[in-house]
């Protein structure tokens, strides 16, 4: 497992991390504690030292599982969590509610100081007002958090956050189906030396190349209940693509998969070829998925010819179908 510097922090994180949304058990189908711990153990065994979670994943369940797991873990693990999508949403953002959310995450994770707290796709108006960053700087100075960042829905929101003092990271949707950040965001991020965390690298599973149009999902899976953005930004589900079109587009990509890779690994490798990316955080519902994804770290870069083909594919076949903030 290769490691990369996390922005200007001096900390090195595995370039393939683990997204822990699935561990909440409320948006990806049921997952029991035993399997959750197996997923976490498999991640650590494969050299992963970066875990990304949030206070709303399973209403705190994901953080609790990680906190319990860390008690028996001898490795040094970087845990990134988030706030802002629970009781604060959409108009209850103040210093008191932010402080309460951080205190609750500290308790669930069993730590005295958070490695990273991220604003969790909060309203753009709150980001632009900027007060919330002052509160985070205050909590940083108090030793409650080591650093702070923002998980955003659009390039516009990312650029707003980049102007904030002491911003450590940006978490964005970036994959073969979502290439807008390459030209509109990445050059500015490099100048600021801010870490980039990539979520939805496999577009909710589309970029595994294994999904079919008649695929069914359990009722407590966001790929069932948020397919058209009924509950939150449609971009968080299948990268904003209508499901059936996404399956067709993924099938078209199968022709490009190198013999030594799975389609998932190709999709992850494509992301990792951009050195501005600090870590990519595919989730997992099974331990075997963690092992397969981790292998992408050691694969060779894709050729410039393949990158050009994917750029053309995106412009000609994908852009017109994307929905949601971007």
């Amino acid at each position: 497992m290769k490691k990369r510097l996390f922005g200007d922090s001096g900390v090195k994180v595995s370039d393939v991390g683990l997204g822990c949304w699935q561990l909440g058990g409320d948006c990806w189908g049921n997952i029991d504690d035993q399997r959750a711990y197996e997923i976490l153990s498999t991640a650590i065994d494969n050299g992963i030292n970066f875990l990304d979670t949030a206070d709303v994943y399973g209403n705190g369940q994901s953080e609790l599982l990680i906190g319990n797991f860390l008690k028996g873990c001898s490795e040094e693990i970087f845990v990134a969590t988030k706030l802002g999508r629970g009781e604060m949403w959409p108009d209850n953002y103040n210093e008191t509610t932010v402080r309460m959310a951080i205190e609750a995450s500290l308790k669930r994770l069993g730590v005295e100081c958070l490695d990273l707290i991220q604003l969790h796709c909060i309203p753009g108006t709150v980001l632009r007002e900027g007060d919330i960053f002052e509160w985070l700087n205050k909590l940083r100075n108090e030793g409650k958090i080591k650093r702070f960042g923002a998980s955003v829905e659009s390039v516009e929101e990312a650029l707003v956050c980049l102007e904030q003092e002491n911003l450590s990271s940006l978490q964005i949707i970036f994959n073969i189906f979502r290439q807008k950040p390459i030209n509109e965001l990445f050059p500015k991020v490099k100048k600021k030396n801010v870490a980039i965390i990539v979520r939805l690298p496999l577009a909710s599973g589309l970029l595994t190349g294994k999904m079919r149009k008649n695929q069914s999902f359990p009722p407590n899976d966001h790929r069932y209940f948020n397919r058209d953005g009924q509950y939150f930004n449609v971009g968080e589900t299948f990268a904003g693509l209508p499901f059936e079109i996404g399956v067709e587009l993924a099938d078209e990509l199968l022709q490009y998969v190198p013999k030594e890779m799975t389609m998932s690994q190709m999709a992850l490798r494509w992301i990792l070829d951009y050195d501005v990316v600090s870590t990519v955080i595919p989730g997992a519902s099974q331990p075997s998925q963690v092992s397969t994804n981790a292998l992408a770290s050691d694969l060779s870069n894709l050729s410039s010819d393949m990158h050009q083909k994917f750029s053309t594919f995106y412009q000609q076949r994908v852009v017109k179908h994307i929905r949601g903030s971007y």
Side-chain angles (χ1 to χ4, degrees):
M1 176 64 65
K2 292 183 173 64
K3 289 184 170 61
R4 300 185 180 190
L5 282 171
F6 193 79
D8 63 0
S9 69
V11 177
K12 287 190 174 182
V13 298
S14 54
D15 57 6
V16 177
L18 178 68
C20 298
W21 190 7
Q22 280 89 336
L23 305 190
D26 59 342
C27 286
W28 292 84
N30 296 329
I31 184 167
D32 60 39
D33 290 2
Q34 182 177 349
R35 192 177 359 144
Y37 290 132
E38 289 174 356
I39 288 170
L40 290 167
S41 289
T42 302
I44 306 311
D45 290 345
N46 280 272
I48 291 172
N49 73 346
F50 187 93
L51 306 178
D52 178 87
T53 185
D55 56 2
V56 292
Y57 294 168
N59 194 28
Q61 177 69 0
S62 179
E63 285 185 332
L64 280 170
L65 286 166
I66 292 170
N68 289 332
F69 175 79
L70 292 178
K71 292 176 183 176
C73 180
S74 60
E75 302 295 327
E76 188 169 342
I77 308 300
F78 188 115
V79 179
T81 192
K82 312 182 197 75
L83 62 78
R85 293 294 296 192
E87 295 180 358
M88 277 182 260
W89 179 268
D91 56 6
N92 190 28
Y93 296 92
N94 56 65
E95 186 173 349
T96 299
T97 56
V98 168
R99 184 178 294 274
M100 288 173 62
I102 286 176
E103 292 289 355
S105 288
L106 286 167
K107 184 176 180 180
R108 285 189 291 266
L109 289 167
V111 296
E112 295 182 357
C113 180
L114 298 177
D115 292 326
L116 174 70
I117 189 70
Q118 303 162 91
L119 301 176
H120 196 178
C121 300
I122 68 174
T125 52
V126 179
L127 291 175
R128 286 187 285 274
E129 287 168 359
D131 291 344
I132 198 164
F133 294 102
E134 293 183 17
W135 306 329
L136 292 175
N137 267 306
K138 185 175 180 179
L139 286 155
R140 177 174 172 266
N141 292 336
E142 291 176 13
K144 296 290 185 180
I145 59 177
K146 293 180 182 177
R147 51 192 73 86
F148 62 84
S151 178
V152 296
E153 300 285 11
S154 68
V155 168
E156 178 189 2
E157 291 174 351
L159 293 175
V160 169
C161 295
L162 267 184
E163 297 304 312
Q164 300 299 325
E165 184 180 2
N166 296 323
L167 186 85
S168 181
S169 65
L170 285 168
Q171 184 175 141
I172 60 169
I173 299 172
F174 180 54
N175 57 52
I176 293 173
F177 290 154
R178 284 260 187 156
Q179 299 186 27
K180 186 176 180 179
I182 295 171
N183 296 319
E184 298 193 22
L185 178 63
F186 285 175
K188 295 179 174 64
V189 168
K190 278 193 171 184
K191 287 183 180 179
K192 294 278 189 174
N193 199 15
V194 167
I196 286 287
I197 304 166
V198 172
R199 72 179 186 276
L200 267 77
L202 302 179
S204 304
L206 283 176
L207 287 169
T208 64
K210 297 177 180 179
M211 289 190 171
R212 304 275 60 89
K213 291 183 180 181
N214 62 353
Q215 191 121 1
S216 62
F217 301 97
N220 60 341
D221 190 317
H222 74 103
R223 295 172 293 183
Y224 171 84
F225 66 76
N226 194 60
R227 187 173 292 196
D228 295 307
Q230 298 96 318
Y231 288 87
F232 43 82
N233 183 14
V234 69
E236 301 291 345
T237 304
F238 301 125
L241 295 173
F243 178 66
E244 291 77 10
I245 292 174
V247 172
E248 292 176 4
L249 292 170
D251 286 347
E252 291 180 36
L253 288 173
L254 287 169
Q255 63 182 306
Y256 300 116
V257 180
K259 292 181 180 179
E260 68 275 14
M261 301 182 190
T262 65
M263 185 163 169
S264 298
Q265 290 168 341
M266 179 187 76
L268 293 172
R269 189 62 253 172
W270 178 85
I271 295 167
L272 291 173
D273 285 354
Y274 292 90
D275 60 5
V276 69
V277 172
S278 300
T279 187
V280 57
I281 50 169
S285 298
Q286 300 290 341
S288 59
Q289 295 169 341
V290 180
S291 301
T292 299
N293 292 337
L295 292 173
S297 175
D298 288 326
L299 295 172
S300 299
N301 287 14
L302 302 178
S303 68
S304 57
D305 180 59
M306 284 191 70
H307 275 275
Q308 184 56 53
K309 287 179 179 178
F310 289 141
S311 177
T312 301
F313 175 83
Y314 166 73
Q315 294 293 341
Q316 295 182 354
R317 299 287 294 120
V318 181
V319 169
K320 58 187 175 184
H321 299 296
I322 295 175
R323 303 170 296 172
S325 300
Y326 187 29

